[in-house]
Amino acid sequence: MTEEEEEKKHVKPKDPVFVPKSTSDKHRLHIERLMKNPEKPVFIPEVRKVWKPRDAPEFVRDVMGSSAGAGSGEFHVYRGYRRREQIRQDYIDNKNEKDEKESEFQKKLEDNKNKAEEKTAKKRAKRNKKKLNAKLKKQKTEESKDQEEKEEEEEEEEEEENTGEETCFVIGGR
């Protein structure tokens, strides 16, 4: 064999190129590629950190006022301070609004949970009451049957006593 033939044997045939036409095709291709080598570690991206503006400075060095002597460049510095402070205030307002909505949502979930528990407790009590009534009714019917049987036995005994004949198992007996 020549070297070219040996190289051809070692070269893997390439799969036909598949162009995904939809999102599901794209996901299917991705999953197939991952499953070709299950031992290979998969990259899982970290959760993005929430953006937070810088805290307000504790001590402002360049205090600007409306006094005379402010240069033309000071306006741009002031505008930057104002913009940063406005962004910080908007962030605080949005965060408070988001927290309020979250607390309302949690409160609503808790209310729904309590209502569902009350409803199930009420239905459980109703089921238990129904079972108890059925059990009592069954016991009453059994007791009434027992009483009827006892009464019948007593009546039979009375009839036997009233006939005046004694049952005798001796042949030729009375």
Side-chain angles (χ1 to χ4, degrees):
M1 281 191 193
T2 63
E3 290 181 21
E4 293 176 9
E5 291 175 359
E6 287 180 19
E7 287 180 17
K8 287 181 182 178
K9 284 184 179 180
H10 293 291
V11 174
K12 294 181 182 177
K14 290 187 177 179
D15 292 332
V17 176
F18 179 75
V19 178
K21 295 179 182 172
S22 66
T23 309
S24 60
D25 288 341
K26 189 174 181 181
H27 287 293
R28 186 173 49 81
L29 274 175
H30 186 66
I31 291 170
E32 285 176 1
R33 188 174 32 167
L34 286 173
M35 294 308 289
K36 280 183 183 177
N37 188 3
E39 288 81 32
K40 182 179 177 183
V42 179
F43 171 71
I44 299 174
E46 294 288 325
V47 178
R48 278 189 171 180
K49 293 180 182 176
V50 178
W51 178 84
K52 181 182 170 196
R54 287 188 290 177
D55 292 334
E58 291 181 20
F59 182 77
V60 180
R61 296 187 185 281
D62 301 324
V63 178
M64 290 172 273
S66 59
S67 63
S72 60
E74 301 299 318
F75 172 72
H76 302 292
V77 175
Y78 164 75
R79 192 173 61 180
Y81 283 147
R82 189 182 67 186
R83 182 180 55 83
R84 281 190 290 277
E85 183 61 20
Q86 187 62 41
I87 289 172
R88 193 177 73 80
Q89 291 295 329
D90 290 341
Y91 172 78
I92 292 171
D93 292 341
N94 290 337
K95 186 177 178 184
N96 288 338
E97 186 177 325
K98 188 177 178 181
D99 290 343
E100 287 176 9
K101 285 183 179 180
E102 182 65 26
S103 64
E104 287 176 16
F105 177 71
Q106 293 299 328
K107 185 179 177 184
K108 190 174 182 180
L109 280 180
E110 190 67 30
D111 290 343
N112 289 344
K113 186 178 179 182
N114 290 338
K115 286 179 184 177
E117 287 177 3
E118 289 174 5
K119 213 174 191 179
T120 54
K122 188 176 179 181
K123 288 184 179 183
R124 184 183 308 115
K126 191 174 181 180
R127 278 194 312 272
N128 290 340
K129 187 177 178 183
K130 194 174 181 180
K131 284 181 184 178
L132 185 64
N133 286 340
K135 201 175 195 180
L136 291 174
K137 191 173 182 180
K138 187 176 179 182
Q139 286 178 351
K140 284 183 180 180
T141 56
E142 288 177 359
E143 288 176 2
S144 63
K145 285 181 183 179
D146 290 342
Q147 285 180 348
E148 288 175 8
E149 289 176 4
K150 285 181 182 178
E151 289 175 2
E152 288 177 8
E153 288 177 5
E154 289 175 3
E155 288 176 7
E156 288 176 7
E157 288 177 8
E158 287 178 13
E159 286 178 13
E160 288 178 3
E161 290 175 5
N162 290 341
T163 57
E165 293 183 9
E166 294 180 21
T167 55
C168 186
F169 296 104
V170 178
I171 297 177
R174 213 173 108 138

